[in-house]
Amino acid sequence: MNRHPRLLPLLLLVALLGATATACGGGDDSAGATTPATTAADPRAGYFGEEQSAALNPALTALVEADRTWVADGDACNDTATRLFEAGATPRKAIACHLRLTTAMRDASRDVRVAARGVEGDFRAECVAELGRYRATVTRMAAAWQRTLDLWNAYGRGEAGAGDRITAAGQRAQDLTRAFLDEGEAGKALTVACYTAADRAEADAG
């Protein structure tokens, strides 16, 4: 069964409408109209737009793909490591697959953190607050994967006690990732606060 029925944990792949036009008054020149120019209020002011979606979505897509590989290859990786250990391989060689998978998750989660920190704009207060919480969430997730990778590397170098801490660190990283991808509360809250209702409806319909 597919663990990720949605491509992304957020509704950020918004099929945005064309750029909001500035409504200007002024009649037909040939008629000599002199109506003063007026500018309609931008309904997207304070909300995310195409620029913010473009900043976040590539990193989110990469995280989902890295997680799919982690889930798909995890059991085989454990089996390979066990077989290599039993054959007398060094710890570094035996855990090569763990290093590969964990590095991919560290890189992907780190890139989401960097992308979230790079989102800029003059947003409404609700969006600013949720963006701050979202950044904190992805920062914790990225830090957990970094911690797990550090412990795998320490284990590969033969540092005493590293192996005893890997399981707990890895479980925390996985729990944070499952909460982010499968439950998606941080992303849902960000989407509601930072996208217009029209954009959300269009994303759902698409």
Side-chain angles (χ1 to χ4, degrees):
M1 181 178 179
N2 188 348
R3 296 174 62 89
H4 305 293
R6 303 182 73 88
L7 176 61
L8 295 179
L10 313 182
L11 299 177
L12 291 175
L13 284 179
V14 180
L16 294 172
L17 299 173
T20 303
T22 301
C24 295
D28 185 358
D29 289 342
S30 62
T34 59
T35 304
T38 60
T39 302
D42 183 0
R44 308 185 64 84
Y47 290 90
F48 281 7
E50 186 174 4
E51 178 182 353
Q52 288 74 34
S53 292
L56 288 167
N57 281 329
L60 289 168
T61 301
L63 176 63
V64 170
E65 290 305 316
D67 179 68
R68 284 176 174 160
T69 300
W70 172 276
V71 172
D73 294 357
D75 289 341
C77 181
N78 288 328
D79 292 343
T80 298
T82 299
R83 177 176 53 80
L84 290 173
F85 271 122
E86 291 175 348
T90 64
R92 186 76 183 180
K93 289 183 179 179
I95 65 171
C97 61
H98 288 299
L99 291 172
R100 174 177 57 82
L101 292 175
T102 306
T103 298
M105 289 302 298
R106 187 281 308 270
D107 290 349
S109 60
R110 178 192 59 195
D111 289 348
V112 172
R113 181 198 67 196
V114 171
R117 287 181 175 178
V119 171
E120 297 179 347
D122 185 14
F123 306 122
R124 66 198 193 107
E126 295 88 342
C127 179
V128 171
E130 288 302 335
L131 181 58
R133 284 188 277 271
Y134 182 85
R135 286 169 171 164
T137 296
V138 298
T139 295
R140 286 192 296 270
M141 179 175 62
W145 282 112
Q146 182 64 63
R147 174 63 173 162
T148 304
L149 181 59
D150 289 344
L151 286 170
W152 275 120
N153 279 314
Y155 181 76
R157 293 190 299 268
E159 293 185 16
D164 296 334
R165 291 173 285 167
I166 289 174
T167 300
Q171 189 60 57
R172 172 171 169 74
Q174 291 179 71
D175 288 347
L176 290 171
T177 304
R178 295 274 61 78
F180 183 72
L181 292 179
D182 295 345
E183 299 171 20
E185 294 304 323
K188 291 174 186 175
L190 182 69
T191 300
V192 170
C194 295
Y195 282 95
T196 66
D199 282 342
R200 298 197 307 273
E202 187 169 351
D204 285 336

